[in-house]
Amino acid sequence: MATPAVPCAFHGYEPKPTLVERLINADQVVLARPSAATPFRFDVTKQMRGDASVGTLPFLVDSTTRRLMRLKPQANVLFARDADTEVWHRLATVDADFDPVMHDIWSALPDWQDNPAMRATYFSKLLHHRDRRLRDLALRELDLAAYGTLRALDLEIDANALRSQLDVITEMDLRAIRILLMGFAEPSEDLSAFLKDRITTGVAHDSDMLGAYALSLIALEGRGGLRWLSDTHLSSTHNTYNTHSAMVQALAMHFQTGDSALREEIEEILTARVLFDPDLAYVVSLQFSAIAANAGLEVPESDLDEDPSLEALKSIEVSKLIPLQN
């Protein structure tokens, strides 16, 4: 079975299952077109998975689909039925642009169930496809990838294209992945200034995207971005718990996936800060204990009266045992 969709650190929402996940979890997969006899109903044109007798698909053919099918007589609509809920889902219109990608997806499904890195690599190549549907499909797939997986990809990022869609109201569910991908773009003063401005605004308004912007800035600038974040915002005594948590979580994720120089810088910054800020120490303890636990490490319990500074320092120390990722 596919890995269930869960909210990442910086979403603020639960990602919807992607087309690939729908296909992996389906017991029935079909292609269909409007019926010649009953134009408002779909007729199955190809059974890709499941029984031969699907019955009537629980969807009506809307006017847009009917017009599209007339313009593209070779196109079909892809449907899949969830094996657990038995609910049918309309997934995509498979036309000349979509068909080659659909062929690749269908062929690779058995491998992708156990190899998320291979899956992410494939979809990273579609980020600049001429068809917007496939660009969005790629973004949704990468949205589910672990941050370490994203860092390992050979990405070509158009930061301006990503920025142009950030505040589109109908694209809000793709904000987080667009922000994260900006961190892998070619560094520029303009992009750095944009990310820093969004971080400063996020701190002031306790934004749910603050962590994503912080993560992206550090990926873009490395130790320079880390120092700016620390000196400008992390040391503030006016931060809310959510603000502290978002920034520390960004540091923890870079500590987990970054190189040795970046890890040393993060350790130095946090070690100095937690000794004078019990609230920050508590957040550091939580976040670094979490990444240690995910790596199968155990943070020893404190012998003292739950001193947050001590717990934070122990959590950082244990997290240093996590192997560096490429």
Side-chain angles (χ1 to χ4, degrees):
M1 299 294 286
T3 302
V6 294
C8 85
F10 310 119
H11 280 132
Y13 68 93
E14 184 173 326
K16 299 176 182 178
T18 64
L19 179 146
V20 171
E21 290 184 307
R22 293 291 191 201
L23 291 176
I24 290 175
N25 290 323
D27 62 353
Q28 300 267 10
V29 180
V30 300
L31 293 172
R33 285 184 59 84
S35 170
T38 311
F40 292 99
R41 293 289 183 182
F42 283 99
D43 278 347
V44 173
T45 56
K46 183 177 181 180
Q47 185 88 26
M48 300 179 67
R49 181 188 297 161
D51 302 290
S53 57
V54 172
T56 302
L57 292 169
F59 295 91
L60 294 177
V61 181
D62 59 86
S63 59
T64 301
T65 300
R66 194 161 50 252
R67 184 166 56 252
L68 180 63
M69 293 294 105
R70 284 199 300 266
L71 294 173
K72 299 183 176 183
Q74 304 303 316
N76 289 273
V77 180
L78 178 67
F79 296 93
R81 190 181 78 166
D82 188 279
D84 294 326
T85 64
E86 298 186 353
V87 173
W88 281 95
H89 298 276
R90 178 172 174 165
L91 301 184
T93 299
V94 181
D95 53 16
D97 280 335
F98 207 100
D99 188 64
V101 174
M102 186 63 217
H103 183 272
D104 291 344
I105 291 173
W106 194 251
S107 301
L109 278 181
D111 296 323
W112 285 351
Q113 293 186 60
D114 300 314
N115 196 329
M118 181 188 298
R119 178 172 161 183
T121 298
Y122 176 81
F123 285 101
S124 70
K125 308 304 180 184
L126 299 178
L127 283 173
H128 305 295
H129 198 281
R130 66 180 182 276
D131 191 320
R132 179 177 176 177
R133 297 172 302 163
L134 295 175
R135 296 197 300 271
D136 286 353
L137 177 62
L139 285 171
R140 294 187 190 284
E141 283 294 326
L142 295 179
D143 199 24
L144 299 182
Y147 188 67
T149 300
L150 290 179
R151 284 183 64 109
L153 296 174
D154 182 18
L155 294 167
E156 294 183 7
I157 300 299
D158 183 343
N160 289 329
L162 293 172
R163 285 172 61 176
S164 69
Q165 298 295 315
L166 272 184
D167 299 318
V168 177
I169 193 67
T170 56
E171 302 277 334
M172 288 294 102
D173 59 334
L174 291 173
R175 279 187 306 163
I177 185 58
R178 285 191 168 110
I179 295 167
L180 295 186
L181 290 176
M182 286 183 200
F184 307 119
E186 188 70 23
S188 70
E189 292 185 6
D190 178 64
L191 181 55
S192 292
F194 170 78
L195 294 175
K196 289 176 181 178
D197 179 68
R198 287 294 177 106
I199 289 170
T200 300
T201 302
V203 169
H205 296 92
D206 210 14
S207 167
D208 60 345
M209 289 292 112
L210 172 59
Y213 283 114
L215 198 71
S216 192
L217 177 69
I218 298 171
L220 185 74
E221 292 193 353
R223 297 166 70 188
L226 174 62
R227 278 292 176 187
W228 178 89
L229 184 69
S230 172
D231 295 342
T232 307
H233 294 297
L234 191 63
S235 59
S236 173
T237 58
H238 302 294
N239 290 334
T240 66
Y241 171 83
N242 288 337
T243 294
H244 262 154
S245 184
M247 289 189 289
V248 171
Q249 194 164 22
L251 267 61
M253 292 175 72
H254 275 294
F255 190 87
Q256 184 180 16
T257 61
D259 59 29
S260 57
L262 188 62
R263 286 162 66 104
E264 290 175 4
E265 191 86 8
I266 292 171
E267 181 184 7
E268 178 184 331
I269 288 172
L270 292 181
T271 298
R273 301 285 189 209
V274 299
L275 294 176
F276 303 100
D277 189 340
D279 293 334
L280 179 64
Y282 176 71
V283 174
V284 169
S285 176
L286 288 180
Q287 298 296 348
F288 278 77
S289 294
I291 68 169
N294 288 337
L297 305 175
E298 184 176 349
V299 180
E301 295 183 4
S302 172
D303 294 330
L304 302 180
D305 293 333
E306 299 182 356
D307 184 328
S309 299
L310 178 62
E311 291 295 335
L313 295 174
K314 287 197 304 183
S315 298
I316 295 173
E317 187 67 25
V318 171
S319 297
K320 287 165 63 178
L321 300 175
I322 298 173
L324 290 175
Q325 297 190 22
N326 293 329

